[in-house]
Amino acid sequence: MGNLNTKVIFRFLGITAILNGLFMFITFPFSVYHQETAKWGILNAGFVTVTIGLLLFFFNKPTSTNIQKKEGYLIVTLGWLTLSITGMLPYLFSGAISNITNAFFETISGYSTTGSSILTDIEAMPKGILFWRSATHWIGGMGIIVLTIAILPLLGIGGMQLFMAEAPGPSADKLHPRITDTAKRLYLIYVTLTLAQFFLLKIAGMTWFDAINHAMATMSTGGFSTKNSSVAFYNHLPFVQYIIIFFMLIAGTNFVLTYFALKGKIQKVFQSEEFKYYLFGIIGIASLITVIIVHFQDSNLQTTIAHPMVFGKEESAIRHALFMVTSVVTTTGFVSADFTMWNFFATGIFFALFFTGGSAGSTSGGVKVVRHIVMLKNSFLEFKKALHPNAIIPVRYDKKAVHQNIVFNIISFFIIYMLIFIISSVILTLFGLDFLSALGAASSSLGNIGPAIGSVSPVDNFNHLTTAAKWFCSFLMLIGRLELFTVLILFSPFFWRKN
């Protein structure tokens, strides 16, 4: 391990496991309340996870508490693997998912906030297990790493390097100069919005159990539902779907802007280029999809999974179009309708949306809107430079010049992202998927989206994939959640060389 501070790494993984185990204990009462035998599996999983965490914590007392960049990258990647390995124990111990491959897939899909599932009958699952499944979203959404940054100073360990590895996007906005205070504010916003959505969903007609599960899955942009037909189950309750649309939009917005909005500084929100492209892009594309549903829908195809038109055809079309566009752009993955059953043109639009992503600094996955803005602006500048080769024209974002290194970083990210997508699609065909399904599974896993196209469409799931394909998609979910570089840098030989 060269000059790595391994004791700090293992100590941090111990804290991660302890916190994960504590969340399992919080899940236990849900299973007790519903008088399920699964409760003992959840409780035992919590004890095992906390024990592993305590052993890692107490048997690794570092002489130095410095965390350098190398340790930061390792801690974030290994921390996510620690979460996923310990997080599948409630499934295994309760017998809800007895297969290790399936349990790991479902767990990493939760923590990476992808929302792809191998469960064929979700409603038959024990309530305690369903709550744990949603909790994996909620933990992974903001990143348990950020939560731990708020605790680390108590242990004499600094957290800035971890924050940079956890949020490697182009934006480095901070709510507060101290990273620990930033983490606390982020979590306060996250908890407050989750609770607000929970109460609104309950008022709109959901049961308290469904409301808390859907609130956790929305704010984390995860997409695990407690219903087999996802949010399409609530097509007879339009206000439930409108509430989820609103909170998906917030979850896909930069949390720094959400903080400003909550402080009453609304003008700062609409000064953000990314937010304007994000919001008006969703509205524009949803308008186009609405027109397709109303006027150009294939007559041989159904409009939705279940389509009671509570307020008429036009309102229903607007709601489903807005819901599904927001769900895909924010990478939440909730389903109110099967977009592959509308029109081939509509399916093509949704496939393109798999590569957008929400805002930087949000809980959504994908490429992120800000990267697209910078790449497009840089491309237009290249045209200008072709005509005026001696001109020095910087890329400007939010009225500020973007450093050339950041532009190169963004272009590199996108090239690597697309290369991984292309290679992964080919590999998945090797594992038995047809080409369309391989494209869908690769783009969905890498972008942490959930529903895709082909045999992994919004009305299907990932259970039919081979064991090798499930493990490969799990890897794609991990590198997608941690924005490629954080994980891929560990595979480079120079990372392991001594300084």
Side-chain angles (χ1 to χ4, degrees), residues 394-460:
V395 175
R396 304 191 75 81
Y397 172 74
D398 277 349
K399 298 179 181 177
K400 294 174 187 172
V402 179
H403 198 281
Q404 199 65 34
N405 285 347
I406 293 176
V407 177
F408 290 151
N409 179 282
I410 288 170
I411 293 170
S412 300
F413 175 91
F414 190 71
I415 291 169
I416 293 169
Y417 191 96
M418 294 309 294
L419 273 174
I420 291 171
F421 161 67
I422 293 164
I423 294 166
S424 300
S425 300
V426 174
I427 290 172
L428 285 170
T429 60
L430 186 68
F431 294 149
L433 270 74
D434 64 88
F435 186 59
L436 194 64
S437 302
L439 290 175
S443 56
S444 170
S445 300
L446 191 59
N448 306 130
I449 296 159
I453 56 175
S455 64
V456 287
S457 74
V459 292
D460 297 299

Side-chain angles (χ1 to χ4, degrees), residues 228-490:
N228 289 329
S229 56
S230 188
V231 182
F233 181 87
Y234 297 98
N235 281 350
H236 63 291
L237 296 172
F239 290 112
V240 164
Q241 296 182 339
Y242 282 121
I243 290 165
I244 292 174
I245 289 169
F246 177 72
F247 280 94
M248 283 195 294
L249 280 168
I250 293 176
T253 302
N254 189 324
F255 266 60
V256 175
L257 295 183
T258 306
Y259 175 77
F260 288 139
L262 292 171
K263 294 279 281 186
K265 299 177 181 176
I266 303 296
Q267 75 280 5
K268 280 207 169 193
V269 177
F270 285 96
Q271 283 168 0
S272 165
E273 265 189 82
E274 183 182 37
F275 181 75
K276 285 186 279 191
Y277 275 97
Y278 165 71
L279 180 63
F280 295 114
I282 286 175
I283 292 169
I285 296 163
S287 302
L288 176 59
I289 297 295
T290 302
V291 171
I292 291 170
I293 295 171
V294 175
H295 298 292
F296 300 102
Q297 184 192 327
D298 293 347
S299 57
N300 296 328
L301 303 178
Q302 297 174 0
T303 304
T304 65
I305 298 165
H307 191 184
M309 290 178 282
V310 181
F311 298 128
K313 183 181 178 182
E314 286 74 19
E315 181 281 330
S316 184
I318 291 167
R319 173 163 37 96
H320 288 299
L322 188 58
F323 189 101
M324 290 310 299
V325 169
T326 307
S327 181
V328 171
V329 170
T330 61
T331 73
T332 306
F334 276 141
V335 175
S336 73
D338 183 359
F339 58 77
T340 64
M341 298 295 282
W342 285 338
N343 175 286
F344 292 124
F345 180 50
T347 305
I349 292 170
F350 277 104
F351 182 69
L353 292 179
F354 289 171
F355 300 92
T356 54
S359 306
S362 71
T363 57
S364 62
V367 176
K368 304 290 193 303
V369 175
V370 65
R371 287 193 176 101
H372 287 290
I373 295 169
V374 172
M375 282 191 297
L376 283 170
K377 286 192 172 188
N378 185 67
S379 299
F380 286 125
L381 280 183
E382 290 300 322
F383 294 141
K384 282 188 181 179
K385 287 175 185 175
L387 295 171
H388 308 285
N390 296 323
I392 300 170
I393 317 167
V395 175
R396 304 191 75 81
Y397 172 74
D398 277 349
K399 298 179 181 177
K400 294 174 187 172
V402 179
H403 198 281
Q404 199 65 34
N405 285 347
I406 293 176
V407 177
F408 290 151
N409 179 282
I410 288 170
I411 293 170
S412 300
F413 175 91
F414 190 71
I415 291 169
I416 293 169
Y417 191 96
M418 294 309 294
L419 273 174
I420 291 171
F421 161 67
I422 293 164
I423 294 166
S424 300
S425 300
V426 174
I427 290 172
L428 285 170
T429 60
L430 186 68
F431 294 149
L433 270 74
D434 64 88
F435 186 59
L436 194 64
S437 302
L439 290 175
S443 56
S444 170
S445 300
L446 191 59
N448 306 130
I449 296 159
I453 56 175
S455 64
V456 287
S457 74
V459 292
D460 297 299
N461 65 20
F462 285 66
N463 188 52
H464 65 281
L465 268 63
T466 62
T467 299
K470 286 173 185 171
W471 282 106
F472 186 70
C473 285
S474 299
F475 174 69
L476 291 179
M477 289 183 223
L478 177 68
I479 62 172
R481 178 62 181 87
L482 299 180
E483 304 217 346
L484 309 188
F485 295 154
T486 309
V487 179
L488 296 181
I489 197 170
L490 304 184

Side-chain angles (χ1 to χ4, degrees), residues 89-349:
L89 296 181
Y91 296 124
L92 294 172
F93 286 8
S94 66
I97 304 175
S98 55
N99 179 293
I100 288 178
T101 299
N102 285 349
F104 186 82
F105 182 95
E106 197 77 11
T107 309
I108 203 162
S109 178
Y111 287 117
S112 64
T113 72
T114 304
S116 301
S117 181
I118 50 82
L119 297 178
T120 51
D121 189 357
I122 295 163
E123 291 168 39
M125 286 284 120
K127 292 285 196 296
I129 290 297
L130 288 180
F131 183 83
W132 171 246
R133 187 168 169 262
S134 301
T136 59
H137 269 344
W138 199 79
I139 297 164
M142 179 58 68
I144 202 167
I145 312 300
V146 179
L147 175 63
T148 315
I149 288 167
I151 295 168
L152 280 178
L154 303 173
L155 310 169
I157 300 173
M160 177 58 84
Q161 287 84 355
L162 298 183
F163 190 85
M164 295 309 293
E166 167 67 8
S171 173
D173 288 325
K174 299 287 183 289
L175 311 185
H176 195 273
R178 291 189 62 189
I179 193 70
T180 51
D181 291 316
T182 295
K184 287 171 188 173
R185 279 167 170 75
L186 289 173
Y187 251 89
L188 186 60
I189 293 167
Y190 194 53
V191 172
T192 304
L193 290 172
T194 305
L195 289 173
Q197 189 187 357
F198 162 65
F199 287 118
L200 287 171
L201 288 174
K202 181 71 182 77
I203 293 165
M206 273 192 178
T207 65
W208 68 271
F209 181 77
D210 288 343
I212 189 63
N213 278 275
H214 284 84
M216 287 196 292
T218 306
M219 284 315 302
S220 62
T221 65
F224 277 156
S225 176
T226 53
K227 303 298 180 186
N228 289 329
S229 56
S230 188
V231 182
F233 181 87
Y234 297 98
N235 281 350
H236 63 291
L237 296 172
F239 290 112
V240 164
Q241 296 182 339
Y242 282 121
I243 290 165
I244 292 174
I245 289 169
F246 177 72
F247 280 94
M248 283 195 294
L249 280 168
I250 293 176
T253 302
N254 189 324
F255 266 60
V256 175
L257 295 183
T258 306
Y259 175 77
F260 288 139
L262 292 171
K263 294 279 281 186
K265 299 177 181 176
I266 303 296
Q267 75 280 5
K268 280 207 169 193
V269 177
F270 285 96
Q271 283 168 0
S272 165
E273 265 189 82
E274 183 182 37
F275 181 75
K276 285 186 279 191
Y277 275 97
Y278 165 71
L279 180 63
F280 295 114
I282 286 175
I283 292 169
I285 296 163
S287 302
L288 176 59
I289 297 295
T290 302
V291 171
I292 291 170
I293 295 171
V294 175
H295 298 292
F296 300 102
Q297 184 192 327
D298 293 347
S299 57
N300 296 328
L301 303 178
Q302 297 174 0
T303 304
T304 65
I305 298 165
H307 191 184
M309 290 178 282
V310 181
F311 298 128
K313 183 181 178 182
E314 286 74 19
E315 181 281 330
S316 184
I318 291 167
R319 173 163 37 96
H320 288 299
L322 188 58
F323 189 101
M324 290 310 299
V325 169
T326 307
S327 181
V328 171
V329 170
T330 61
T331 73
T332 306
F334 276 141
V335 175
S336 73
D338 183 359
F339 58 77
T340 64
M341 298 295 282
W342 285 338
N343 175 286
F344 292 124
F345 180 50
T347 305
I349 292 170

